[in-house]
């Protein structure tokens, strides 16, 4: 049994929180968390203080087994206080959490892609079928939005339950794994950020080519809708990929998980960002349906969606910058 596990067991045996132990030793809460995950070891003077505090020799703490030497004196405490989740269980949970949030992000804009594609498809039909197909397109936005909300809510509730049942994590991913992930994260973020701008270039160039007649199309409105649908499908895929990378980054931050100090996750600021962006995209959807139904401007009303997405990115960036400045 190693020092990290011994320290964790001794602390739980005496019913001392990480914050209380940190106060007694004159160190930070994060330092105690690192000791218990094996990411760092205390200095000699702190080891002596720990030995005195728990009435255990330094040799036993460093190389012995607290279970055999000390914990048998008070076995009930060990049963009442769970040691926390093993790193493998946590990794599997976070992978499922990542899939749920990524699907939620993908469905949010995939529904718009389906809607715009159906509007373009409707251009080739008579007025009798035009209204029906356009109504199906509008319904697809609401259906996929509902699927997105379900994925978000279900994943969040499962995650909150996991955090409640596992307040701390045992072990870590190791320095080599962290370094490899950091390289993958940097490459992935760079590629996806570039893909966003390339997707915008695709939308602008092909819309101009179709409108000017350089690319022949039997119905210009239909062709522009298909270009816009392709844009939203790619954007939905990029957004899903970004969520995957960000959740993976959270997964590898074991120190942050153990050092939450009971703080709410997500933070109130992150919740505000989610609510504001949700309202913006609902307004964009309402404008799309309103201008399409009243003025029959389906071919241009879809612009409300990329404008809404850009507004969301601007607001998130501003709020994130304000949060850093306050710190």
């Amino acid at each position: 049994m190693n020092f990290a596990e011994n320290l964790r067991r001794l602390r739980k045996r005496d019913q001392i929180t990480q914050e209380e132990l940190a106060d007694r030793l004159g160190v930070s809460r994060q330092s105690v968390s690192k000791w218990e995950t094996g990411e760092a070891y205390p200095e000699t003077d702190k080891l002596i203080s720990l030995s005195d505090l728990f009435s255990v020799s330094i040799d036993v703490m460093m190389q012995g087994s607290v279970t055999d030497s000390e914990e048998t004196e008070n076995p009930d405490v060990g049963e009442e206080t769970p040691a926390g989740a093993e790193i493998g269980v946590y990794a599997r949970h976070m992978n499922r959490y990542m899939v749920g949030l990524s699907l939620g992000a993908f469905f949010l804009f995939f529904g718009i892609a389906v809607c715009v594609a159906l509007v373009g498809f409707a251009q080739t039909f008579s007025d009798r079928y035009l209204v029906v197909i356009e109504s199906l397109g509008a319904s697809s936005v609401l259906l996929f939005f509902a699927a997105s909300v379900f994925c978000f809510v279900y994943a969040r509730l499962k995650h909150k339950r996991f955090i409640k049942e596992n307040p701390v994590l045992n072990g870590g991913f190791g320095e080599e794994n962290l370094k490899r992930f950091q390289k993958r994260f940097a490459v992935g973020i760079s590629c996806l950020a570039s893909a966003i701008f390339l997707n915008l270039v695709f939308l602008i160039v092909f819309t101009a080519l179709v409108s000017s007649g350089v690319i022949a199309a039997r119905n210009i409105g239909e062709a522009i809708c298909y270009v816009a649908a392709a844009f939203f499908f790619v954007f939905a895929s990029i957004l899903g990929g970004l969520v995957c990378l960000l959740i993976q980054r959270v997964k590898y931050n074991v120190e942050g998980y153990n050092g939450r100090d009971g703080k709410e996750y997500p933070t109130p600021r992150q919740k505000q960002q989610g609510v504001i962006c949700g309202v913006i995209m609902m307004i964009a959807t309402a404008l799309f349906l309103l201008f399409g139904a009243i003025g029959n401007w389906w071919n241009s009303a879809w612009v409300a969606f990329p404008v809404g997405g850009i507004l969301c990115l601007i607001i998130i960036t501003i709020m994130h910058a304000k949060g850093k400045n306050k710190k």
Side-chain angles (χ1 to χ4, degrees):
M1 190 174 295
N2 56 27
F3 169 77
E5 190 170 353
N6 283 333
L7 176 60
R8 188 165 54 247
R9 287 179 177 274
L10 288 168
R11 181 177 62 79
K12 291 180 180 298
R13 184 200 68 184
D14 291 353
Q15 297 181 332
I16 301 174
T17 66
Q18 287 187 345
E19 188 172 356
E20 290 171 344
L21 181 59
D23 289 339
R24 294 189 188 186
L25 297 176
V27 298
S28 66
R29 165 76 150 69
Q30 286 71 25
S31 295
V32 175
S33 175
K34 286 183 177 181
W35 296 346
E36 293 192 357
T37 56
E39 297 178 44
Y41 290 94
E43 297 177 356
T44 304
D45 60 327
K46 303 303 180 187
L47 272 175
I48 296 172
S49 299
L50 287 169
S51 175
D52 294 338
L53 177 64
F54 294 119
S55 299
V56 176
S57 68
I58 295 178
D59 289 340
V60 171
M61 289 191 66
M62 296 299 295
Q63 300 177 350
S65 174
V66 170
T67 303
D68 298 335
S69 63
E70 298 292 335
E71 197 177 33
T72 53
E73 297 177 8
N74 193 1
D76 293 336
V77 174
E79 294 177 4
E80 292 174 1
T81 309
E86 297 299 329
I87 201 67
V89 175
Y90 167 71
R92 288 192 292 272
H93 161 75
M94 289 301 293
N95 288 338
R96 291 192 292 267
Y97 182 51
M98 175 192 69
V99 171
L101 293 188
S102 299
L103 283 176
F106 176 79
F107 286 150
L108 192 61
F109 283 89
F110 181 71
I112 298 173
V114 173
C115 177
V116 175
L118 286 174
V119 169
F121 182 66
Q123 303 298 313
T124 59
F125 289 83
S126 62
D127 293 340
R128 178 181 179 183
Y129 297 102
L130 181 64
V131 176
V132 176
I133 297 176
E134 289 177 347
S135 298
L136 288 174
S139 299
S140 69
V141 174
L142 299 177
L143 287 173
F144 281 103
F145 183 78
S148 174
V149 170
F150 172 81
C151 290
F152 281 129
V153 172
Y154 181 77
R156 281 294 307 135
L157 290 176
K158 293 278 287 184
H159 187 55
K160 289 181 71 173
R161 182 179 176 183
F162 181 88
I163 291 175
K164 185 176 180 180
E165 293 177 349
N166 304 278
V168 295
L169 300 177
N170 301 333
F173 289 99
E175 288 297 325
E176 289 300 322
N177 288 330
L178 288 175
K179 288 179 180 178
R180 282 197 294 268
F181 169 73
Q182 287 168 357
K183 290 180 181 178
R184 293 198 303 268
F185 180 81
V187 173
I189 285 291
S190 301
C191 291
L192 290 174
S194 301
I196 292 175
F197 290 101
L198 290 175
N199 197 31
L200 284 171
V201 171
F202 161 80
L203 175 67
I204 294 169
V205 170
F206 275 83
T207 299
L209 291 176
V210 171
S211 300
S212 62
V214 175
I215 295 180
R218 60 178 182 179
N219 186 309
I220 293 178
E222 177 186 5
I224 291 177
C225 282
Y226 288 152
V227 171
F231 165 81
F232 284 116
F233 175 77
V234 174
F235 187 80
S237 302
I238 294 172
L239 187 60
L242 283 172
V243 172
C244 279
L245 284 176
L246 293 174
I247 297 301
Q248 285 290 305
R249 188 180 186 184
V250 172
K251 181 181 81 172
Y252 279 92
N253 186 14
V254 176
E255 178 184 349
Y257 185 101
N258 287 335
R260 292 190 324 277
D261 290 326
K263 292 180 180 178
E264 182 182 6
Y265 181 81
T267 64
R269 185 179 299 276
Q270 289 171 328
K271 286 187 175 182
Q272 282 182 346
Q273 292 173 358
V275 170
I276 292 172
C277 290
V279 170
I280 289 175
M281 295 314 299
M282 288 180 69
I283 293 173
T285 303
L287 290 174
F288 172 75
L289 297 175
L290 180 65
F291 286 107
I294 295 178
N296 199 27
W297 296 331
W298 299 104
N299 295 339
S300 54
W302 57 265
V303 175
F305 294 117
V307 171
I310 292 171
L311 283 175
C312 287
L313 290 175
I314 292 173
I315 289 172
I316 290 174
T317 302
I318 293 173
M319 293 181 73
H320 184 67
K322 285 184 177 179
K324 280 191 172 181
N325 290 335
K326 286 184 179 180
K327 293 179 182 177

